[in-house]
PDB file of all heavy atoms in Angstrom:
ATOM      1  N   LYS K  17      75.700 133.236 148.079  1.00 97.00           N
ATOM      2  CA  LYS K  17      74.413 132.551 148.220  1.00 97.00           C
ATOM      3  C   LYS K  17      74.607 131.256 149.000  1.00 97.00           C
ATOM      4  O   LYS K  17      75.495 130.465 148.676  1.00 97.00           O
ATOM      5  CB  LYS K  17      73.830 132.257 146.834  1.00 97.00           C
ATOM      6  CG  LYS K  17      72.441 131.635 146.849  1.00 97.00           C
ATOM      7  CD  LYS K  17      71.915 131.530 145.418  1.00 97.00           C
ATOM      8  CE  LYS K  17      70.604 130.778 145.332  1.00 97.00           C
ATOM      9  NZ  LYS K  17      69.518 131.444 146.091  1.00 97.00           N
ATOM     10  N   ASN K  18      73.788 131.028 149.992  1.00 98.00           N
ATOM     11  CA  ASN K  18      73.954 129.861 150.866  1.00 98.00           C
ATOM     12  C   ASN K  18      73.213 128.654 150.284  1.00 98.00           C
ATOM     13  O   ASN K  18      72.114 128.310 150.716  1.00 98.00           O
ATOM     14  CB  ASN K  18      73.454 130.172 152.278  1.00 98.00           C
ATOM     15  CG  ASN K  18      73.955 129.165 153.297  1.00 98.00           C
ATOM     16  OD1 ASN K  18      74.242 128.017 152.958  1.00 98.00           O
ATOM     17  ND2 ASN K  18      74.061 129.592 154.540  1.00 98.00           N
ATOM     18  N   TYR K  19      73.830 128.023 149.296  1.00 98.00           N
ATOM     19  CA  TYR K  19      73.228 126.856 148.654  1.00 98.00           C
ATOM     20  C   TYR K  19      73.042 125.710 149.648  1.00 98.00           C
ATOM     21  O   TYR K  19      72.064 124.966 149.567  1.00 98.00           O
ATOM     22  CB  TYR K  19      74.096 126.389 147.484  1.00 98.00           C
ATOM     23  CG  TYR K  19      74.058 127.300 146.273  1.00 98.00           C
ATOM     24  CD1 TYR K  19      75.051 128.249 146.060  1.00 98.00           C
ATOM     25  CD2 TYR K  19      73.040 127.202 145.329  1.00 98.00           C
ATOM     26  CE1 TYR K  19      75.034 129.083 144.943  1.00 98.00           C
ATOM     27  CE2 TYR K  19      72.999 128.029 144.217  1.00 98.00           C
ATOM     28  CZ  TYR K  19      74.001 128.962 144.037  1.00 98.00           C
ATOM     29  OH  TYR K  19      73.967 129.785 142.934  1.00 98.00           O
ATOM     30  N   GLN K  20      73.975 125.564 150.581  1.00 98.00           N
ATOM     31  CA  GLN K  20      73.880 124.473 151.552  1.00 98.00           C
ATOM     32  C   GLN K  20      72.640 124.628 152.428  1.00 98.00           C
ATOM     33  O   GLN K  20      71.907 123.662 152.674  1.00 98.00           O
ATOM     34  CB  GLN K  20      75.133 124.439 152.429  1.00 98.00           C
ATOM     35  CG  GLN K  20      75.163 123.290 153.425  1.00 98.00           C
ATOM     36  CD  GLN K  20      75.224 121.933 152.755  1.00 98.00           C
ATOM     37  OE1 GLN K  20      76.158 121.653 152.010  1.00 98.00           O
ATOM     38  NE2 GLN K  20      74.235 121.076 153.012  1.00 98.00           N
ATOM     39  N   GLU K  21      72.375 125.844 152.867  1.00 98.00           N
ATOM     40  CA  GLU K  21      71.180 126.095 153.683  1.00 98.00           C
ATOM     41  C   GLU K  21      69.908 125.796 152.894  1.00 98.00           C
ATOM     42  O   GLU K  21      68.958 125.215 153.426  1.00 98.00           O
ATOM     43  CB  GLU K  21      71.166 127.542 154.157  1.00 98.00           C
ATOM     44  CG  GLU K  21      69.966 127.879 155.024  1.00 98.00           C
ATOM     45  CD  GLU K  21      69.908 129.348 155.409  1.00 98.00           C
ATOM     46  OE1 GLU K  21      70.668 130.158 154.840  1.00 98.00           O
ATOM     47  OE2 GLU K  21      69.084 129.687 156.287  1.00 98.00           O
ATOM     48  N   GLU K  22      69.899 126.179 151.616  1.00 98.00           N
ATOM     49  CA  GLU K  22      68.720 125.947 150.787  1.00 98.00           C
ATOM     50  C   GLU K  22      68.480 124.450 150.582  1.00 98.00           C
ATOM     51  O   GLU K  22      67.340 123.978 150.637  1.00 98.00           O
ATOM     52  CB  GLU K  22      68.882 126.667 149.455  1.00 98.00           C
ATOM     53  CG  GLU K  22      68.887 128.178 149.607  1.00 98.00           C
ATOM     54  CD  GLU K  22      69.078 128.923 148.297  1.00 98.00           C
ATOM     55  OE1 GLU K  22      68.949 128.291 147.226  1.00 98.00           O
ATOM     56  OE2 GLU K  22      69.363 130.136 148.345  1.00 98.00           O
ATOM     57  N   CYS K  23      69.552 123.715 150.348  1.00 98.00           N
ATOM     58  CA  CYS K  23      69.403 122.266 150.160  1.00 98.00           C
ATOM     59  C   CYS K  23      68.984 121.586 151.458  1.00 98.00           C
ATOM     60  O   CYS K  23      68.185 120.635 151.436  1.00 98.00           O
ATOM     61  CB  CYS K  23      70.710 121.669 149.640  1.00 98.00           C
ATOM     62  SG  CYS K  23      71.121 122.189 147.949  1.00 98.00           S
ATOM     63  N   PHE K  25      67.125 122.974 153.710  1.00 98.00           N
ATOM     64  CA  PHE K  25      65.699 123.299 153.826  1.00 98.00           C
ATOM     65  C   PHE K  25      64.857 122.325 153.000  1.00 98.00           C
ATOM     66  O   PHE K  25      63.844 121.800 153.479  1.00 98.00           O
ATOM     67  CB  PHE K  25      65.448 124.736 153.357  1.00 98.00           C
ATOM     68  CG  PHE K  25      63.995 125.078 153.192  1.00 98.00           C
ATOM     69  CD1 PHE K  25      63.220 125.419 154.282  1.00 98.00           C
ATOM     70  CD2 PHE K  25      63.400 125.065 151.932  1.00 98.00           C
ATOM     71  CE1 PHE K  25      61.877 125.733 154.134  1.00 98.00           C
ATOM     72  CE2 PHE K  25      62.058 125.381 151.768  1.00 98.00           C
ATOM     73  CZ  PHE K  25      61.291 125.713 152.875  1.00 98.00           C
ATOM     74  N   VAL K  26      65.276 122.078 151.763  1.00 98.00           N
ATOM     75  CA  VAL K  26      64.526 121.170 150.895  1.00 98.00           C
ATOM     76  C   VAL K  26      64.527 119.759 151.486  1.00 98.00           C
ATOM     77  O   VAL K  26      63.501 119.055 151.463  1.00 98.00           O
ATOM     78  CB  VAL K  26      65.095 121.173 149.464  1.00 98.00           C
ATOM     79  CG1 VAL K  26      64.398 120.119 148.604  1.00 98.00           C
ATOM     80  CG2 VAL K  26      64.934 122.549 148.825  1.00 98.00           C
ATOM     81  N   HIS K  51      73.082 123.572 143.367  1.00 98.00           N
ATOM     82  CA  HIS K  51      72.155 122.763 144.167  1.00 98.00           C
ATOM     83  C   HIS K  51      72.330 121.282 143.863  1.00 98.00           C
ATOM     84  O   HIS K  51      72.344 120.445 144.778  1.00 98.00           O
ATOM     85  CB  HIS K  51      70.705 123.166 143.878  1.00 98.00           C
ATOM     86  CG  HIS K  51      70.303 124.486 144.430  1.00 98.00           C
ATOM     87  ND1 HIS K  51      69.993 125.569 143.630  1.00 98.00           N
ATOM     88  CD2 HIS K  51      70.148 124.923 145.713  1.00 98.00           C
ATOM     89  CE1 HIS K  51      69.663 126.596 144.396  1.00 98.00           C
ATOM     90  NE2 HIS K  51      69.742 126.238 145.656  1.00 98.00           N
TER      91      HIS K  51
END
Side-chain angles (χ1 to χ4, degrees):
K17 184 174 174 62
N18 196 334
Y19 288 98
Q20 183 65 59
E21 181 184 11
E22 293 179 14
C23 292
F25 169 81
V26 174
H51 288 113

